Amino acid sequence: MKRQELQAGWSGMSEAIMEEVATWRAEHPKATFREIEAEIDRRLSALRAKMISDTANASAAAEWEVAEGVVCPACGAKLIKKGKKKRILLTREGRKIELEREYGVCVACGQGIFPPG
């Protein structure tokens, strides 16, 4: 995904969140500071999760070539490419993020490698 596309998606989502917060505030005029903080944090966590997901999936680590120099971190043997795999991770706020990465397996010890990033 291109930088402009990422920013446009985030911008649109942030504008929607701002509108939702303003509407929520109008519906909850007596909300306490803590309630306002919790509501804003809840809504912003969705934007945060999208930004993390988009950024990670746009990373160079999403695509990798298994070559002579790519070895198993456990035993040092060669890795073989096994295609793309999906992985679900959780943010600190408990939001699910799905990453898709090239997956490799060590020919010696069988350890699977899902690259970071």
Side-chain angles (χ1 to χ4, degrees):
M1 199 177 273
K2 293 181 181 175
R3 182 178 177 169
Q4 294 86 1
E5 292 171 346
L6 290 174
Q7 289 176 324
W10 301 339
S11 180
M13 190 172 181
S14 66
E15 288 176 21
I17 289 169
M18 288 186 284
E19 181 62 35
E20 292 167 5
V21 169
T23 300
W24 178 89
R25 181 60 175 151
E27 294 169 354
H28 300 87
K30 294 184 179 184
T32 66
F33 180 85
R34 295 286 182 227
E35 291 169 331
I36 294 167
E37 180 181 35
E39 186 64 23
I40 290 173
D41 285 347
R42 184 180 70 78
R43 292 175 187 274
L44 286 178
S45 73
L47 176 60
R48 183 177 181 279
K50 177 162 181 46
M51 291 177 76
I52 292 168
S53 176
D54 289 351
T55 303
N57 282 315
S59 168
E63 300 290 332
W64 60 289
E65 292 294 324
V66 177
E68 299 265 339
V70 181
V71 296
C72 176
C75 72
K78 183 180 175 184
L79 298 178
I80 56 171
K81 202 173 182 179
K82 287 291 189 176
K84 291 195 175 201
K85 302 285 184 193
K86 290 184 181 179
R87 191 169 177 191
I88 304 292
L89 303 171
L90 295 177
T91 66
R92 288 188 302 239
E93 297 86 15
R95 298 253 180 196
K96 290 182 181 178
I97 293 176
E98 184 175 282
L99 295 181
E100 186 172 13
R101 293 279 195 270
E102 201 63 57
Y103 189 76
V105 176
C106 176
V107 295
C109 71
Q111 180 173 337
I113 308 297
F114 188 85

